[in-house]
Amino acid sequence: MTESGTVALVTGAGAGIGAAIATRLAHDGCVVIAADINEPAAAETAKRLLDQGLQASALQMDVGNAASIAAGFASVAKRHERCDILVNNAGVGRGFPFLEYPLEDWQRTMAINVTGTLLCGQHAARLMKPRGWGRIVNVASASGFRASLARTAYGTSKAAVIGLTRQMAVELAPLGITANAIAPGPVDTPMTREFQSPVMRSNLIRGIPAGRYGTPEERGAMVSFRASDDAAYVTGHTFPVDGGLRAAGVRES
């Protein structure tokens, strides 16, 4: 459970996992700020929540740009004077063979997935510190634990997010702030349905003991607990939400 009036900022909330997380936190009673580089998408998420009688607003924020992050949190501070929960969900990932991996894509992926997570965490924690309470939940990936073809930048960036989560947890614990991460496995979203071939989906499902893709709502449920009072003594950990993917070894004989 969260205190009434708790302010939660979710990055990448315009669609997919981010929108599902924003929805879950709004239903938990939070005042949700749906942040996204795509302002119309963020506004659509906020409108959908408002139409349900929930509390939400939209915020245009590019987590790959330090100035945009600073401006976004300045707006939050001015309007709400607090930020109690931060979910670092925004991220990017493109696939290229290792030998041809473009430097510019590597740098962009690191800027958004890693540096953006760092900067948002710093800004949010400064707003959490005066109240002595805060929750930071970073969205990593199963790719941060297990390498896959063509994911040089994405997998490395998510491994860095896992390490950064531990660092946040150690340094922020004395301030009453916890930092955890979730590591989703394959998620069924419009994006994955568009860009993953039937063969790729079949191969992925074969490696998942649960035998299916996860849903964005299942990710939102995990974030909800990590952001709650009940998780006060849980910090520095990354929790797979992957249907058993990480636990599995050989599954066919």
Side-chain angles (χ1 to χ4, degrees), residues 68-128:
S68 179
I69 292 172
F73 277 94
S75 173
V76 172
K78 182 177 181 180
R79 180 172 181 178
H80 299 281
E81 299 184 338
R82 61 193 290 179
C83 178
D84 306 294
I85 297 169
L86 167 68
V87 183
N88 279 309
N89 167 74
V92 295
R94 298 174 65 195
F96 299 94
F98 177 79
L99 293 179
E100 290 84 42
Y101 211 97
L103 176 60
E104 60 272 19
D105 192 83
W106 168 276
Q107 292 172 330
R108 177 174 179 266
T109 301
M110 294 300 163
I112 294 172
N113 295 3
V114 184
T115 306
T117 297
L118 165 72
L119 294 176
C120 288
Q122 288 178 323
H123 282 285
R126 292 177 188 129
L127 293 175
M128 296 170 181

Side-chain angles (χ1 to χ4, degrees), residues 143-162:
S143 293
F145 292 118
R146 302 176 62 175
S148 299
L149 292 175
R151 295 190 178 183
T152 297
Y154 182 75
T156 303
S157 73
K158 292 303 186 178
V161 167
I162 292 169

Side-chain angles (χ1 to χ4, degrees), residues 186 201-202 204-214 242-245 251:
R201 288 178 67 91
S202 176
L204 282 168
I205 289 172
R206 285 176 61 194
I208 302 171
R212 64 173 177 86
Y213 274 42
D242 62 5
L245 176 66
R251 300 190 58 242

Side-chain angles (χ1 to χ4, degrees), residues 11-62:
T11 68
I17 295 175
I21 292 170
T23 300
R24 178 57 186 259
L25 293 177
H27 280 282
D28 286 347
C30 294
V31 178
V32 169
I33 302 167
D36 203 286
I37 189 172
N38 184 335
E39 188 170 13
E44 178 59 30
T45 295
K47 180 181 183 300
R48 187 167 59 250
L49 297 177
L50 290 168
D51 288 346
Q52 298 175 50
L54 303 170
Q55 301 179 81
S57 62
L59 175 67
Q60 197 281 330
M61 180 188 288
D62 176 3

